[in-house]
């Protein structure tokens, strides 16, 4: 039997107890609400977790989740390249919640909701472009800041990577204190 590459929330929900769910969003996004039982392994830490993920995949199917399905799709491709079968949740936690399924928050998680990473990137890029254009009124030549951000966004799309997202993921609001997500080492699946 082959592992499906994608599951809808309706397909994943009845199988939740038998899946190892891996949420690849930032800890802040994870703390804002996640699929019940999901383990938080941010996308930028996935390579470090490959041995544990290989072991978990040997015990049963992996389901990778993010906010919309983009990062989890990338994670599944990275896992497949490492020989680890995994499926992505189509539409991510957004589709999961929209389907009426429960989302959990870790105990002690802050009450405020962290913006999804793609929203943070759009805000930061837009603010930098606007700042570069406004600064150009006073200091001619600073419009090149806007051009550099535009070039970075094009490069991001072409390479399917996001340096700005990686930098934003390291900010304190994306790594809440005092909240520990379960991990593969502390979680046992049937």
């Amino acid at each position: 039997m082959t592992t499906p590459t994608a599951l809808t929330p309706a397909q994943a929900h009845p199988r939740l107890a038998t899946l190892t769910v891996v949420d690849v969003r930032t800890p802040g996004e994870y703390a804002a609400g996640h699929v019940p039982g999901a383990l938080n392994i941010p996308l930028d830490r996935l390579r470090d977790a490959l041995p544990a993920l290989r072991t978990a995949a040997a015990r049963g199917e992996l389901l990778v989740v993010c906010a919309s399905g983009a990062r989890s799709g990338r994670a599944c491709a990275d896992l497949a390249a490492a020989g680890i079968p995994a499926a992505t949740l189509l539409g991510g936690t957004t589709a999961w919640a929209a389907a009426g399924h429960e989302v959990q928050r870790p105990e002690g998680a802050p009450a405020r909701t962290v913006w999804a990473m793609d929203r943070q990137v759009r805000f930061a890029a837009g603010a930098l472009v606007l700042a570069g254009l406004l600064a150009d009124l006073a200091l001619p030549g600073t419009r090149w800041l806007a051009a550099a951000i535009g070039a970075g966004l094009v490069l991001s799309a072409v390479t399917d990577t996001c340096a700005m997202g990686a930098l934003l993921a390291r900010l304190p609001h994306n790594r809440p204190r005092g909240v520990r997500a379960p991990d593969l080492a502390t979680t046992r699946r049937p």
Side-chain angles (χ1 to χ4, degrees), residues 92-118:
T93 54
T94 303
W96 179 267
H101 301 306
E102 174 190 9
V103 289
Q104 289 181 331
R105 292 182 51 220
E107 200 170 303
R112 65 177 178 77
T113 301
V114 174
W115 284 359
M117 187 54 60
D118 64 322

Side-chain angles (χ1 to χ4, degrees), residues 107-181:
E107 200 170 303
R112 65 177 178 77
T113 301
V114 174
W115 284 359
M117 187 54 60
D118 64 322
R119 185 176 180 192
Q120 291 181 50
V121 167
R122 288 192 314 265
F123 178 82
L128 288 170
V129 167
L130 186 59
L133 292 174
L134 290 174
D136 191 60
L137 297 173
L139 286 163
T142 56
R143 69 178 171 271
W144 291 106
L145 172 65
I149 297 299
L153 290 172
V154 169
L155 179 65
S156 175
V158 169
T159 62
D160 197 23
T161 61
C162 187
M164 187 180 291
L167 289 172
L168 290 171
R170 298 182 197 290
L171 292 176
H173 68 272
N174 283 320
R175 300 204 180 268
R177 293 181 189 163
V179 176
R180 175 129 170 91

Side-chain angles (χ1 to χ4, degrees), residues 37-103:
L39 311 171
N40 186 219
I41 303 174
L43 187 57
D44 64 343
R45 306 296 303 169
L46 194 67
R47 184 171 303 285
D48 298 336
L50 287 177
L53 289 167
R54 186 172 282 110
T55 300
R59 289 192 309 254
E61 290 180 88
L62 295 181
L63 178 65
V64 184
V65 180
C66 67
S68 66
R71 284 178 280 178
S72 61
R74 181 179 171 107
C76 284
D78 291 349
L79 290 171
I84 302 170
T88 184
L89 181 66
L90 291 173
T93 54
T94 303
W96 179 267
H101 301 306
E102 174 190 9
V103 289

